[in-house]
Amino acid sequence: MFCKSQGQNLRSTAWDDGLLVWQEFADTFLVVGFGRGIGEKVLRRLINSTFSSMIFTVGLPELENYHSVERLKRELQPAWSVIDHLLESADCELIGFTDCILSPQNAAILEKLTEFCGQFGSDYACLMIRQRISAATEAWWDLHPDDRQLLFTLIATSSSLQKDTPVFLPQKSPTIAYRLVSIPILQNINICLLCGAEPPYKDVENLVHQVWRPDLKTLELAEQCFPRNFPASLELDAGILGILLINRAQAKYVISRNIQQSSTGKRSVSGAHRLDILRTFFHQAADMIDDYLGNLAVHAESYWCSDYHKCHALVQEDNLICVLYVAAIPTHTMRLISQKTLSMIVGSKDTCW
């Protein structure tokens, strides 16, 4: 506040064990974020997502022209669970990116989803398996990543599988509400739609079950891809413990541990800890590659090496892959294996990547 009164724009401050970041929105709201062991890029994404959650709930006009603070607090109540989820998941999710599952049935599911949208009359639809996108329409991927994240967060924090909620999309439509309709098809599989005030929820539900009933077996097979999250037919190198693949243009990712690579011994890396390492590597090393691309380099990569494991990140066109290796793998071979793994997954017709 002192710097602002002096005509200066100080946006963050840091000390040995902490980081403080803030930003003003709509000339009225000041959002402050404090974190330890977290980078400024991630903390700033959280701050932006916090205000976006407020727009998502009540719309931008209400925030810009509110008349009663107490009334605004009441109207913003639904936003708090979304914000809490974003804060709790900062360490275990990639803020601003959409989680995907690449099953062998994705191509067939996408074809069916496109057919369904033609009957339903909305271009915005996706099918989710265990809170991950299996297939989505082109219009859905055209939504801003922040809008997509808020939609998924709302679904994840809802106590009901069936949902019909008015939402304001902060980037696409901050002043006019859409309807977010989420309908379960199977226990861990649901379809999400954006539409207008019509048709009624019951009509949408009947259409969903009518159209998807012949394809339940396909959906069941697609779910079997979890928790690997990409086809078992794509064999990873024996030295790979896990992978994180990101499409930077569409802000989507798939993360997986190599379940065929067992971890034994004192120096092994096992279970969910592999995924934590990959996320940490991305936030602290790979995410910074974008700061250099186009300025200092056309292609970029990053390495981490320790007594327990090695990490390698590589950018090729729109894709960034982070690979977690066993410690014994020769460092000079990591680039070749990462390139081969990236080409194998991206080049597969089934994954719809």
Side-chain angles (χ1 to χ4, degrees):
M1 299 300 291
F2 171 78
C3 291
K4 185 177 179 180
S5 67
Q6 301 301 311
Q8 303 299 315
N9 185 21
L10 183 66
R11 303 179 66 208
S12 65
T13 185
W15 53 98
D16 291 343
D17 64 343
L19 173 66
L20 202 64
V21 177
W22 58 88
Q23 188 166 335
E24 189 174 329
F25 298 92
D27 297 324
T28 304
F29 299 90
L30 181 65
V31 183
V32 181
F34 169 74
R36 287 193 177 97
I38 187 171
E40 181 175 345
K41 203 169 186 178
V42 176
L43 197 52
R44 196 161 293 284
R45 284 174 184 160
L46 278 171
I47 284 178
N48 288 325
S49 295
T50 297
F51 186 70
S52 292
S53 300
M54 297 165 65
I55 299 176
F56 186 67
T57 305
V58 300
L60 186 59
E62 181 68 22
L63 294 175
E64 291 179 329
N65 304 297
Y66 69 92
H67 299 292
S68 168
V69 173
E70 294 305 317
R71 178 186 171 187
L72 181 61
K73 285 180 180 179
R74 289 194 298 271
E75 292 177 344
L76 284 172
Q77 284 295 328
W80 305 143
S81 59
V82 174
I83 294 171
D84 285 343
H85 181 84
L86 291 171
L87 293 173
E88 291 167 2
S89 63
D91 292 333
C92 59
E93 294 181 10
L94 304 187
I95 302 297
F97 295 87
T98 301
D99 198 357
C100 297
I101 182 169
L102 306 183
S103 75
Q105 291 74 31
N106 272 9
I109 292 173
L110 179 59
E111 184 177 348
K112 189 71 176 184
L113 186 66
T114 304
E115 175 191 330
F116 169 80
C117 288
Q119 295 184 44
F120 178 63
S122 173
D123 293 330
Y124 300 94
C126 73
L127 186 127
M128 298 181 68
I129 299 176
R130 291 182 175 266
Q131 302 297 327
R132 296 162 175 82
I133 281 194
S134 169
T137 61
E138 186 176 341
W140 189 277
W141 287 122
D142 286 340
L143 291 173
H144 193 278
D146 292 347
D147 291 348
R148 295 200 308 257
Q149 181 183 34
L150 290 170
L151 293 170
F152 292 142
T153 304
L154 179 61
I155 293 168
T157 56
S158 172
S159 57
S160 172
L161 291 175
Q162 299 180 342
K163 194 152 194 72
D164 187 352
T165 310
V167 294
F168 296 85
L169 302 180
Q171 302 297 326
K172 179 177 177 57
S173 181
T175 59
I176 300 175
Y178 277 81
R179 281 171 67 206
L180 170 63
V181 179
S182 176
I183 298 175
I185 302 176
L186 294 171
Q187 184 176 1
N188 296 307
I189 301 173
N190 62 299
I191 188 168
C192 300
L193 306 161
L194 282 178
C195 59
E198 296 292 336
Y201 181 89
K202 197 64 182 175
D203 292 353
V204 181
E205 184 180 35
N206 290 338
L207 179 61
V208 166
H209 290 296
Q210 176 187 336
V211 171
W212 289 92
R213 190 176 294 114
D215 297 274
L216 296 183
K217 186 63 177 177
T218 300
L219 299 179
E220 290 172 351
L221 290 172
E223 188 187 358
Q224 293 176 12
C225 187
F226 179 84
R228 195 172 194 253
N229 297 334
F230 67 93
S233 58
L234 304 181
E235 295 185 9
L236 297 180
D237 186 274
I240 293 178
L241 293 172
I243 60 168
L244 168 61
L245 176 61
I246 295 175
N247 182 307
R248 296 157 59 243
Q250 293 186 326
K252 64 181 181 178
Y253 74 96
V254 59
I255 189 167
S256 171
R257 62 180 186 270
N258 186 3
I259 57 178
Q260 295 172 331
Q261 167 58 262
S262 59
S263 294
T264 57
K266 244 177 172 180
R267 293 191 161 189
S268 63
V269 183
S270 61
H273 185 48
R274 301 183 192 180
L275 307 186
D276 292 337
I277 293 171
L278 281 168
R279 295 186 191 99
T280 301
F281 174 56
F282 171 75
H283 286 312
Q284 297 189 10
D287 199 17
M288 292 185 285
I289 288 178
D290 276 335
D291 299 334
Y292 297 95
L293 285 172
N295 297 320
L296 303 178
V298 177
H299 302 288
E301 55 189 313
S302 181
Y303 295 86
W304 264 12
C305 297
S306 76
D307 292 338
Y308 302 93
H309 55 79
K310 293 180 180 178
C311 292
H312 178 242
L314 175 71
V315 172
Q316 282 191 351
E317 298 178 349
D318 287 334
N319 295 300
L320 183 154
I321 188 169
C322 300
V323 186
L324 176 67
Y325 292 98
V326 296
I329 197 162
T331 301
H332 66 275
T333 66
M334 290 196 294
R335 177 189 296 172
L336 181 61
I337 298 174
S338 295
Q339 288 176 330
K340 180 181 177 182
T341 304
L342 175 60
S343 299
M344 176 181 65
I345 299 175
V346 173
S348 174
K349 294 180 180 179
D350 291 332
T351 60
C352 292
W353 185 252

